[in-house]
C-alpha cells in the first residue's frame, strides 16, 4: 500500500513553499519521499530524490522548471536507490 500521493506540475519555483505547506497543512512527515523530475521524457531529463525535509537542499541552486514534483511513499524505492549512490 502506497498511501496518498501528491503530484504537482510546474512546481520548480515553489519547492520551498510547497514542502513547508505539505508538512504544516497536510501533516506530512519531513521524511516523506519526494521525486522531482525536470524535463521529463526528454534526453535532458534529470531526476532529483529526497524527502520533504531534504529536497530543497538537494536541488539548491538548480534551475528546476519545467518539473514534476511527486510526493509520497510511492517514491520510496526510487529515493532509496538514488540516495545510495
Amino acid at each position: 500500500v502506497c498511501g496518498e500521493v501528491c503530484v504537482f506540475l510546474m512546481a520548480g519555483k515553489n519547492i520551498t513553499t510547497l514542502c513547508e505547506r505539505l508538512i504544516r497543512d497536510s501533516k506530512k512527515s519531513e521524511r516523506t519521499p519526494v521525486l522531482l523530475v525536470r524535463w521529463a521524457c526528454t534526453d535532458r531529463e534529470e531526476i532529483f530524490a529526497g524527502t520533504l525535509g531534504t529536497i530543497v537542499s538537494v536541488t539548491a541552486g538548480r534551475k528546476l522548471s519545467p518539473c514534476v514534483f511527486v510526493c509520497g511513499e510511492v517514491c520510496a524505492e526510487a529515493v532509496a536507490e538514488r540516495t545510495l549512490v
Side-chain angles (χ1 to χ4, degrees):
V1 175
C2 289
E4 269 186 29
V5 177
C6 297
V7 178
F8 298 88
L9 305 177
M10 304 305 286
K13 294 181 181 178
N14 301 305
I15 297 297
T16 301
T17 302
L18 185 57
C19 290
E20 289 170 355
R21 294 186 87 180
L22 284 167
I23 293 167
R24 184 187 70 217
D25 300 340
S26 296
K27 308 294 188 228
K28 292 204 175 284
S29 168
E30 288 186 4
R31 293 185 307 271
T32 303
V34 171
L35 289 175
L36 193 144
V37 184
R38 181 172 183 243
W39 293 106
C41 301
T42 72
D43 58 349
R44 301 187 314 187
E45 180 177 275
E46 294 180 276
I47 300 174
F48 303 94
T51 66
L52 284 175
T54 66
I55 197 69
V56 172
S57 61
V58 167
T59 59
R62 305 294 300 253
K63 184 180 183 313
L64 299 175
S65 292
C67 75
V68 176
F69 181 96
V70 183
C71 170
E73 291 303 318
V74 70
C75 302
E77 186 174 330
V79 169
E81 288 176 5
R82 291 181 178 281
T83 55
L84 292 176
V85 177

Coordinates of all heavy atoms in Angstrom, one line a residue:
V1 N 0.9 -1.2 0.0 CA 0.0 0.0 0.0 C 0.9 1.2 0.0 O 1.8 1.4 0.9 CB -0.9 0.0 1.2 CG1 -1.7 1.3 1.3 CG2 -1.8 -1.2 1.2
C2 N 0.7 2.1 -0.9 CA 1.5 3.3 -1.1 C 0.9 4.5 -0.4 O 1.6 5.5 -0.1 CB 1.7 3.7 -2.5 SG 2.8 2.5 -3.3
G3 N -0.4 4.5 0.0 CA -1.0 5.7 0.6 C -1.2 6.8 -0.3 O -1.3 6.6 -1.5
E4 N -1.3 8.0 0.2 CA -1.6 9.2 -0.6 C -0.4 9.6 -1.4 O 0.8 9.5 -1.0 CB -1.8 10.4 0.4 CG -3.3 10.6 0.7 CD -3.5 11.9 1.5 OE1 -2.7 12.8 1.4 OE2 -4.4 11.9 2.3
V5 N -0.6 10.1 -2.6 CA 0.4 10.6 -3.5 C 0.0 12.0 -3.9 O -1.2 12.2 -4.3 CB 0.6 9.7 -4.7 CG1 1.6 10.3 -5.7 CG2 0.9 8.3 -4.3
C6 N 0.9 12.9 -3.9 CA 0.6 14.3 -4.3 C 1.5 14.5 -5.5 O 2.7 14.2 -5.5 CB 0.9 15.3 -3.2 SG -0.1 15.1 -1.8
V7 N 1.0 15.0 -6.6 CA 1.7 15.4 -7.8 C 1.4 16.8 -8.2 O 0.3 17.2 -8.2 CB 1.3 14.4 -9.0 CG1 2.1 14.8 -10.2 CG2 1.5 13.0 -8.6
F8 N 2.5 17.6 -8.4 CA 2.4 19.0 -8.7 C 3.2 19.2 -10.0 O 4.3 18.8 -10.2 CB 2.9 19.9 -7.7 CG 2.2 19.7 -6.3 CD1 2.6 18.8 -5.4 CD2 1.2 20.5 -6.0 CE1 2.0 18.6 -4.2 CE2 0.5 20.4 -4.8 CZ 0.9 19.4 -3.9
L9 N 2.5 19.9 -11.0 CA 3.1 20.2 -12.3 C 3.7 21.6 -12.2 O 3.0 22.5 -11.6 CB 2.1 20.0 -13.4 CG 1.5 18.7 -13.5 CD1 0.5 18.7 -14.6 CD2 2.5 17.6 -13.7
M10 N 4.8 21.9 -12.9 CA 5.4 23.2 -12.9 C 5.6 23.8 -11.6 O 5.3 25.0 -11.3 CB 4.5 24.1 -13.8 CG 4.2 23.6 -15.2 SD 5.7 23.2 -16.1 CE 6.3 24.8 -16.5
A11 N 6.2 23.0 -10.7 CA 6.4 23.4 -9.3 C 7.8 24.0 -9.0 O 8.1 24.3 -7.9 CB 6.1 22.3 -8.4
G12 N 8.6 24.1 -10.0 CA 10.0 24.4 -9.8 C 10.3 25.6 -9.0 O 11.3 25.7 -8.2
K13 N 9.6 26.7 -9.2 CA 9.9 27.9 -8.5 C 9.3 28.0 -7.1 O 9.5 28.9 -6.4 CB 9.4 29.1 -9.3 CG 10.1 29.3 -10.6 CD 9.6 30.4 -11.4 CE 10.4 30.5 -12.7 NZ 9.9 31.6 -13.6
N14 N 8.5 26.9 -6.7 CA 7.8 27.0 -5.4 C 8.1 25.8 -4.5 O 7.3 25.5 -3.6 CB 6.3 27.0 -5.7 CG 5.9 28.2 -6.5 OD1 6.1 29.3 -6.1 ND2 5.2 27.9 -7.6
I15 N 9.3 25.2 -4.7 CA 9.6 24.0 -4.0 C 9.6 24.2 -2.5 O 9.1 23.4 -1.7 CB 10.9 23.4 -4.4 CG1 10.9 22.9 -5.9 CG2 11.4 22.2 -3.5 CD1 9.9 21.8 -6.2
T16 N 10.2 25.3 -2.0 CA 10.3 25.6 -0.6 C 9.0 25.7 0.0 O 8.7 25.1 1.0 CB 11.2 26.8 -0.4 OG1 12.5 26.6 -0.9 CG2 11.3 27.1 1.1
T17 N 8.1 26.6 -0.6 CA 6.8 26.8 -0.1 C 6.0 25.5 -0.1 O 5.2 25.2 0.8 CB 6.1 27.9 -0.9 OG1 6.9 29.1 -0.8 CG2 4.7 28.2 -0.3
L18 N 6.1 24.8 -1.2 CA 5.3 23.5 -1.3 C 5.7 22.5 -0.2 O 4.8 22.0 0.4 CB 5.7 22.9 -2.7 CG 4.9 21.7 -3.2 CD1 3.4 21.9 -3.1 CD2 5.4 21.3 -4.5
C19 N 7.0 22.4 0.0 CA 7.4 21.4 1.1 C 6.9 21.9 2.5 O 6.4 21.1 3.3 CB 8.9 21.3 1.1 SG 9.5 20.4 -0.3
E20 N 7.1 23.2 2.7 CA 6.6 23.7 4.0 C 5.2 23.5 4.3 O 4.7 23.1 5.3 CB 7.0 25.2 4.1 CG 8.4 25.6 4.2 CD 8.7 27.0 4.1 OE1 7.8 27.8 3.8 OE2 9.9 27.4 4.3
R21 N 4.4 23.8 3.2 CA 2.9 23.7 3.4 C 2.4 22.2 3.4 O 1.5 21.9 4.1 CB 2.2 24.4 2.3 CG 2.5 25.9 2.5 CD 1.8 26.8 1.5 NE 0.5 27.1 2.1 CZ -0.4 27.8 1.5 NH1 -0.2 28.3 0.3 NH2 -1.6 28.0 2.1
L22 N 3.1 21.3 2.7 CA 2.7 19.9 2.8 C 3.0 19.4 4.2 O 2.2 18.6 4.8 CB 3.5 19.1 1.8 CG 3.0 19.2 0.4 CD1 4.0 18.5 -0.6 CD2 1.6 18.5 0.3
I23 N 4.1 19.8 4.8 CA 4.4 19.4 6.2 C 3.5 20.1 7.2 O 2.9 19.4 8.0 CB 5.9 19.8 6.6 CG1 6.9 19.0 5.7 CG2 6.2 19.6 8.0 CD1 8.3 19.4 5.7
R24 N 3.3 21.4 7.1 CA 2.4 22.1 8.0 C 0.9 21.8 7.8 O 0.2 21.5 8.8 CB 2.7 23.6 7.9 CG 1.9 24.4 8.9 CD 2.1 25.9 8.7 NE 1.3 26.3 7.5 CZ 1.7 27.2 6.6 NH1 2.8 27.8 6.7 NH2 1.0 27.5 5.5
D25 N 0.4 22.0 6.6 CA -1.0 21.9 6.4 C -1.6 20.5 6.1 O -2.7 20.2 6.5 CB -1.4 22.8 5.2 CG -1.1 24.3 5.5 OD1 -0.9 24.7 6.7 OD2 -1.0 25.1 4.5
S26 N -0.8 19.7 5.5 CA -1.2 18.3 5.2 C -0.7 17.3 6.2 O -1.0 16.1 6.0 CB -0.8 17.9 3.8 OG -1.4 18.8 2.8
K27 N 0.1 17.8 7.2 CA 0.6 17.0 8.2 C 1.5 15.8 7.7 O 1.5 14.7 8.3 CB -0.5 16.4 9.1 CG -1.5 17.4 9.6 CD -0.8 18.4 10.6 CE -1.8 19.3 11.3 NZ -1.5 20.7 11.3
K28 N 2.1 16.0 6.6 CA 3.1 15.0 6.1 C 4.4 15.1 6.8 O 4.8 16.2 7.2 CB 3.3 15.2 4.6 CG 2.1 15.0 3.7 CD 2.5 14.6 2.3 CE 1.3 14.2 1.5 NZ 0.8 12.9 1.8
S29 N 5.0 14.0 7.0 CA 6.3 13.9 7.7 C 7.4 14.5 6.8 O 7.4 14.4 5.6 CB 6.6 12.5 8.0 OG 8.0 12.3 8.4
E30 N 8.4 15.1 7.5 CA 9.6 15.6 6.8 C 10.3 14.4 6.1 O 11.1 14.7 5.2 CB 10.6 16.3 7.7 CG 10.1 17.6 8.2 CD 11.1 18.4 9.1 OE1 12.2 17.9 9.2 OE2 10.8 19.4 9.6
R31 N 10.1 13.2 6.5 CA 10.7 12.0 5.9 C 9.9 11.5 4.8 O 10.3 10.4 4.2 CB 10.9 11.0 7.0 CG 11.9 11.4 8.1 CD 12.1 10.3 9.1 NE 10.9 9.7 9.7 CZ 10.3 10.2 10.8 NH1 10.8 11.2 11.4 NH2 9.2 9.6 11.2
T32 N 8.9 12.1 4.4 CA 8.1 11.6 3.2 C 8.9 11.7 1.9 O 9.5 12.8 1.6 CB 6.8 12.5 3.0 OG1 6.0 12.5 4.2 CG2 6.0 12.0 1.9
P33 N 9.1 10.6 1.2 CA 9.9 10.6 0.0 C 9.3 11.5 -1.1 O 8.1 11.7 -1.3 CB 9.8 9.1 -0.5 CG 9.3 8.4 0.7 CD 8.5 9.3 1.5
V34 N 10.3 12.1 -1.8 CA 9.9 13.1 -2.9 C 10.8 12.8 -4.1 O 12.0 12.6 -4.0 CB 10.2 14.5 -2.4 CG1 10.1 15.5 -3.6 CG2 9.2 14.9 -1.3
L35 N 10.2 12.9 -5.3 CA 11.0 12.9 -6.5 C 10.6 14.1 -7.3 O 9.5 14.5 -7.4 CB 10.7 11.7 -7.4 CG 11.1 10.3 -6.9 CD1 10.6 9.2 -7.8 CD2 12.7 10.3 -6.9
L36 N 11.6 14.7 -7.9 CA 11.4 15.9 -8.7 C 12.0 15.6 -10.1 O 13.2 15.2 -10.1 CB 12.1 17.1 -8.1 CG 11.7 18.4 -8.7 CD1 11.7 19.5 -7.6 CD2 12.6 18.8 -9.8
V37 N 11.2 15.6 -11.1 CA 11.7 15.2 -12.4 C 11.6 16.5 -13.3 O 10.6 17.1 -13.5 CB 10.8 14.1 -13.1 CG1 11.3 13.7 -14.4 CG2 10.7 12.9 -12.1
R38 N 12.8 16.9 -13.8 CA 12.9 18.0 -14.7 C 13.1 17.5 -16.1 O 13.8 16.6 -16.4 CB 14.1 18.8 -14.3 CG 14.3 20.1 -15.1 CD 15.4 20.9 -14.5 NE 15.5 22.1 -15.3 CZ 16.6 22.5 -16.0 NH1 17.7 21.8 -16.0 NH2 16.6 23.6 -16.7
W39 N 12.4 18.2 -17.0 CA 12.4 17.9 -18.4 C 12.1 16.4 -18.7 O 12.7 15.7 -19.4 CB 13.8 18.1 -19.1 CG 14.1 19.6 -19.2 CD1 15.0 20.3 -18.4 CD2 13.6 20.6 -20.1 NE1 15.0 21.6 -18.8 CE2 14.1 21.8 -19.8 CE3 12.6 20.5 -21.1 CZ2 13.8 22.9 -20.5 CZ3 12.3 21.6 -21.7 CH2 12.9 22.8 -21.5
A40 N 11.0 15.9 -18.0 CA 10.6 14.5 -18.1 C 10.4 14.1 -19.5 O 9.9 14.8 -20.4 CB 9.3 14.3 -17.3
C41 N 10.8 12.8 -19.8 CA 10.6 12.1 -21.1 C 11.4 12.8 -22.2 O 11.0 12.7 -23.4 CB 9.2 12.0 -21.4 SG 8.2 11.1 -20.2
T42 N 12.5 13.5 -21.9 CA 13.3 14.1 -22.9 C 14.7 13.6 -22.7 O 15.1 13.0 -21.6 CB 13.3 15.6 -22.9 OG1 14.0 16.1 -21.8 CG2 11.9 16.2 -22.9
D43 N 15.6 13.9 -23.6 CA 17.0 13.5 -23.4 C 17.7 14.3 -22.4 O 18.8 14.1 -22.0 CB 17.8 13.5 -24.8 CG 17.7 14.8 -25.5 OD1 17.0 15.7 -25.1 OD2 18.5 15.0 -26.4
R44 N 17.0 15.4 -22.0 CA 17.6 16.3 -20.9 C 17.0 16.0 -19.5 O 17.3 16.7 -18.6 CB 17.3 17.8 -21.2 CG 17.9 18.2 -22.6 CD 17.8 19.6 -22.9 NE 16.5 20.2 -22.6 CZ 16.1 21.4 -22.9 NH1 17.0 22.2 -23.5 NH2 14.9 21.9 -22.6
E45 N 16.3 14.9 -19.4 CA 15.6 14.5 -18.1 C 16.6 14.5 -17.0 O 17.7 13.9 -17.1 CB 14.9 13.2 -18.3 CG 14.2 12.8 -17.0 CD 13.4 11.5 -17.2 OE1 12.3 11.5 -17.6 OE2 14.0 10.4 -16.9
E46 N 16.2 15.1 -15.9 CA 17.0 15.0 -14.6 C 16.0 14.6 -13.5 O 14.9 15.1 -13.5 CB 17.6 16.3 -14.2 CG 18.7 16.9 -15.2 CD 19.2 18.2 -14.7 OE1 18.6 19.2 -15.0 OE2 20.2 18.2 -14.0
I47 N 16.5 13.7 -12.6 CA 15.7 13.3 -11.5 C 16.4 13.5 -10.2 O 17.6 13.1 -10.1 CB 15.3 11.8 -11.6 CG1 14.6 11.5 -12.9 CG2 14.5 11.3 -10.4 CD1 14.3 10.0 -13.2
F48 N 15.7 14.2 -9.3 CA 16.3 14.5 -8.0 C 15.4 13.8 -7.0 O 14.2 13.8 -7.1 CB 16.2 16.1 -7.7 CG 16.9 16.9 -8.8 CD1 16.2 17.4 -9.9 CD2 18.3 17.1 -8.7 CE1 16.8 18.2 -10.8 CE2 18.9 17.9 -9.6 CZ 18.2 18.4 -10.7
A49 N 16.1 13.2 -6.0 CA 15.4 12.4 -5.0 C 15.8 12.9 -3.6 O 16.9 13.3 -3.4 CB 15.8 10.9 -5.1
G50 N 14.8 12.9 -2.7 CA 15.0 13.3 -1.4 C 13.7 13.1 -0.6 O 12.9 12.2 -0.8
T51 N 13.6 13.9 0.4 CA 12.4 13.9 1.3 C 11.8 15.3 1.3 O 12.5 16.3 0.9 CB 12.7 13.4 2.7 OG1 13.5 14.4 3.3 CG2 13.3 12.0 2.7
L52 N 10.7 15.5 1.9 CA 10.1 16.8 2.1 C 11.1 17.7 2.9 O 11.2 18.9 2.7 CB 8.8 16.8 2.8 CG 7.6 16.4 1.9 CD1 6.3 16.3 2.8 CD2 7.4 17.4 0.8
G53 N 11.9 17.1 3.8 CA 12.8 17.8 4.6 C 14.2 18.1 3.9 O 15.0 18.9 4.4
T54 N 14.5 17.4 2.8 CA 15.8 17.5 2.2 C 15.8 18.0 0.8 O 16.8 18.4 0.3 CB 16.6 16.2 2.2 OG1 15.9 15.2 1.4 CG2 16.7 15.6 3.6
I55 N 14.7 17.9 0.1 CA 14.7 18.2 -1.4 C 15.1 19.6 -1.7 O 15.7 19.8 -2.8 CB 13.3 17.8 -2.1 CG1 13.5 17.6 -3.6 CG2 12.2 18.7 -1.7 CD1 14.3 16.5 -4.0
V56 N 14.8 20.5 -0.8 CA 15.2 21.9 -1.1 C 16.7 22.0 -1.1 O 17.3 22.6 -2.0 CB 14.6 22.9 0.0 CG1 15.2 24.3 -0.2 CG2 13.1 22.9 -0.2
S57 N 17.4 21.4 -0.2 CA 18.9 21.4 -0.2 C 19.4 20.6 -1.3 O 20.5 21.0 -1.9 CB 19.4 21.0 1.1 OG 19.1 19.7 1.5
V58 N 18.8 19.5 -1.7 CA 19.3 18.6 -2.8 C 19.3 19.4 -4.1 O 20.1 19.2 -4.9 CB 18.4 17.3 -2.9 CG1 18.6 16.6 -4.2 CG2 18.6 16.4 -1.7
T59 N 18.3 20.3 -4.3 CA 18.1 21.0 -5.5 C 18.6 22.4 -5.4 O 18.4 23.2 -6.4 CB 16.6 21.0 -6.0 OG1 15.8 21.6 -4.9 CG2 16.2 19.6 -6.3
A60 N 19.2 22.8 -4.4 CA 19.7 24.2 -4.2 C 20.6 24.7 -5.3 O 21.4 24.0 -5.8 CB 20.5 24.3 -2.9
G61 N 20.2 25.9 -5.8 CA 21.0 26.5 -6.9 C 20.7 25.9 -8.3 O 21.3 26.4 -9.3
R62 N 19.8 25.0 -8.4 CA 19.4 24.4 -9.7 C 18.2 25.1 -10.3 O 17.3 25.5 -9.6 CB 19.1 22.9 -9.5 CG 20.1 22.1 -8.9 CD 21.4 21.9 -9.7 NE 21.2 21.4 -11.0 CZ 21.5 20.1 -11.3 NH1 22.1 19.4 -10.5 NH2 21.3 19.7 -12.6
K63 N 18.2 25.3 -11.6 CA 17.0 25.8 -12.3 C 16.1 24.5 -12.4 O 16.5 23.6 -13.1 CB 17.4 26.3 -13.7 CG 16.2 26.9 -14.4 CD 16.7 27.5 -15.7 CE 15.6 28.1 -16.5 NZ 14.3 27.5 -16.6
L64 N 14.9 24.6 -11.9 CA 14.1 23.4 -11.8 C 12.9 23.4 -12.8 O 12.3 22.3 -13.0 CB 13.6 23.2 -10.4 CG 14.6 23.0 -9.4 CD1 14.0 23.0 -8.0 CD2 15.4 21.8 -9.6
S65 N 12.6 24.5 -13.4 CA 11.5 24.5 -14.3 C 11.9 24.1 -15.7 O 13.0 24.5 -16.2 CB 10.9 25.9 -14.4 OG 10.3 26.2 -13.1
P66 N 11.1 23.3 -16.4 CA 9.9 22.7 -16.0 C 10.1 21.4 -15.2 O 11.1 20.7 -15.5 CB 9.2 22.4 -17.4 CG 10.3 22.1 -18.3 CD 11.4 23.0 -17.8
C67 N 9.2 21.1 -14.3 CA 9.4 19.9 -13.5 C 8.1 19.4 -13.0 O 7.1 20.1 -12.9 CB 10.4 20.1 -12.3 SG 9.7 21.1 -11.0
V68 N 8.1 18.1 -12.6 CA 7.0 17.4 -11.9 C 7.5 17.1 -10.5 O 8.6 16.5 -10.4 CB 6.6 16.2 -12.7 CG1 5.5 15.4 -12.0 CG2 6.1 16.5 -14.1
F69 N 6.7 17.4 -9.5 CA 7.0 17.1 -8.1 C 6.1 16.0 -7.7 O 4.9 16.2 -7.7 CB 6.8 18.4 -7.3 CG 7.1 18.3 -5.9 CD1 8.3 18.7 -5.4 CD2 6.2 17.9 -5.0 CE1 8.6 18.7 -4.0 CE2 6.4 17.8 -3.6 CZ 7.7 18.2 -3.1
V70 N 6.7 14.9 -7.2 CA 5.9 13.8 -6.8 C 6.3 13.5 -5.3 O 7.5 13.4 -5.0 CB 6.1 12.5 -7.6 CG1 5.2 11.3 -7.1 CG2 5.9 12.8 -9.1
C71 N 5.3 13.4 -4.5 CA 5.5 13.3 -3.0 C 4.6 12.1 -2.5 O 3.4 12.1 -2.7 CB 5.1 14.6 -2.3 SG 5.0 14.5 -0.6
G72 N 5.2 11.2 -1.8 CA 4.5 10.1 -1.2 C 5.3 8.8 -1.1 O 6.4 8.7 -1.7
E73 N 4.8 7.9 -0.4 CA 5.5 6.6 -0.3 C 5.8 5.9 -1.6 O 6.7 5.0 -1.7 CB 4.8 5.7 0.7 CG 4.8 6.2 2.2 CD 6.3 6.4 2.7 OE1 7.1 5.5 2.4 OE2 6.5 7.4 3.3
V74 N 5.0 6.2 -2.6 CA 5.2 5.6 -3.9 C 6.6 5.9 -4.4 O 7.1 5.2 -5.3 CB 4.1 6.1 -4.9 CG1 4.3 7.6 -5.2 CG2 4.0 5.2 -6.1
C75 N 7.2 6.9 -3.9 CA 8.6 7.3 -4.4 C 9.7 6.6 -3.6 O 10.8 6.8 -3.9 CB 8.7 8.8 -4.2 SG 7.6 9.9 -5.1
A76 N 9.3 5.9 -2.5 CA 10.3 5.4 -1.6 C 11.4 4.6 -2.2 O 12.6 4.8 -1.9 CB 9.6 4.6 -0.5
E77 N 11.1 3.7 -3.1 CA 12.1 2.8 -3.6 C 13.1 3.6 -4.5 O 14.3 3.4 -4.5 CB 11.5 1.7 -4.5 CG 12.4 0.7 -4.9 CD 11.8 -0.5 -5.6 OE1 10.6 -0.9 -5.3 OE2 12.4 -1.1 -6.5
A78 N 12.5 4.5 -5.4 CA 13.4 5.3 -6.2 C 14.3 6.2 -5.4 O 15.4 6.4 -5.8 CB 12.5 6.1 -7.2
V79 N 13.7 6.8 -4.4 CA 14.5 7.6 -3.5 C 15.7 6.8 -2.9 O 16.8 7.3 -2.9 CB 13.7 8.3 -2.4 CG1 14.5 9.0 -1.4 CG2 12.7 9.3 -3.1
A80 N 15.4 5.7 -2.4 CA 16.4 4.8 -1.7 C 17.5 4.5 -2.8 O 18.7 4.5 -2.4 CB 15.8 3.5 -1.2
E81 N 17.1 4.1 -4.0 CA 18.1 3.8 -5.0 C 19.0 4.9 -5.3 O 20.2 4.8 -5.5 CB 17.4 3.3 -6.2 CG 16.8 1.9 -6.1 CD 16.0 1.5 -7.4 OE1 16.0 2.3 -8.4 OE2 15.3 0.5 -7.3
R82 N 18.4 6.1 -5.4 CA 19.2 7.3 -5.8 C 20.0 7.9 -4.7 O 21.1 8.5 -5.0 CB 18.3 8.4 -6.4 CG 17.7 8.0 -7.7 CD 16.8 9.0 -8.3 NE 16.3 8.5 -9.6 CZ 17.0 8.6 -10.7 NH1 18.2 9.0 -10.7 NH2 16.5 8.1 -11.8
T83 N 19.7 7.7 -3.5 CA 20.4 8.2 -2.4 C 21.5 7.3 -1.9 O 22.4 7.7 -1.2 CB 19.5 8.6 -1.2 OG1 18.8 7.5 -0.8 CG2 18.6 9.8 -1.6
L84 N 21.5 6.1 -2.4 CA 22.6 5.1 -2.0 C 23.8 5.3 -2.9 O 24.9 4.8 -2.5 CB 22.1 3.7 -2.1 CG 21.0 3.3 -1.1 CD1 20.6 1.8 -1.5 CD2 21.6 3.3 0.3
V85 N 23.7 6.0 -4.0 CA 24.8 6.1 -4.9 C 25.8 7.1 -4.4 O 25.5 8.1 -3.8 CB 24.3 6.6 -6.3 CG1 25.4 6.8 -7.3 CG2 23.3 5.6 -6.8

